[in-house]
Amino acid sequence: ESIEGISKVMICIEEECNEPGMLISMENDLANKSIKDLENDIKKKIEEIEIKNKVKSGAKIGRIKIVDEKWSPENECLTPTLKLRRLIIKKAYKKEYDYVLRKNN
């Protein structure tokens, strides 16, 4: 299922973390919604999908964070074929990455 306005999503997971997190790049501006409201709406939709698909607790998405920039080849977050450059995104959004994985609550 898709959620309107989302451009790209990066699932973040590391061995020492209990649950995966998610970084989200939006397609365009956030219209009239605050980032927090949009994150809450997306989290609710993800939870509905997880329930519907009987996702086990360790595989459920924990925290999510919308980043302030659309990922693109121009900012080097995507390859020319629009694949995620995970290491570049992880480095560029270290604070957000650590947040979704609860490294620095």
Side-chain angles (χ1 to χ4, degrees):
E1 295 184 39
S2 65
I3 300 172
E4 186 177 339
I6 292 179
S7 173
K8 293 285 184 183
V9 170
M10 184 170 104
I11 302 297
C12 309
I13 189 162
E14 291 189 6
E15 197 170 318
E16 68 274 7
C17 297
N18 294 331
E19 60 189 4
M22 181 184 287
L23 292 179
I24 301 170
S25 170
M26 299 303 290
E27 185 63 45
N28 46 34
D29 65 9
L30 303 176
N32 297 325
K33 286 198 172 189
S34 73
I35 288 178
K36 201 68 181 156
D37 287 342
L38 194 52
E39 287 172 345
N40 288 335
D41 291 349
I42 293 169
K43 182 68 176 153
K44 286 177 191 172
K45 183 68 172 174
I46 290 169
E47 288 170 353
E48 290 172 12
I49 293 167
E50 290 170 337
I51 290 168
K52 178 181 173 186
N53 292 288
K54 299 179 180 152
V55 176
K56 295 182 181 177
S57 61
K60 291 182 179 178
I61 299 296
R63 291 182 174 177
I64 66 169
K65 188 71 181 159
I66 296 172
V67 299
D68 58 0
E69 177 178 36
K70 181 179 176 186
W71 297 334
S72 68
E74 290 76 26
N75 61 22
E76 298 183 355
C77 290
L78 301 178
T79 67
T81 58
L82 305 180
K83 294 178 184 144
L84 294 175
R85 288 187 162 152
R86 297 180 63 81
L87 293 177
I88 290 173
I89 293 169
K90 182 178 174 180
K91 184 177 177 182
Y93 296 97
K94 180 172 179 15
K95 186 175 100 178
E96 294 86 351
Y97 184 88
D98 289 349
Y99 168 80
V100 298
L101 291 179
R102 301 178 189 268
K103 289 185 172 184
N104 298 327
N105 293 338

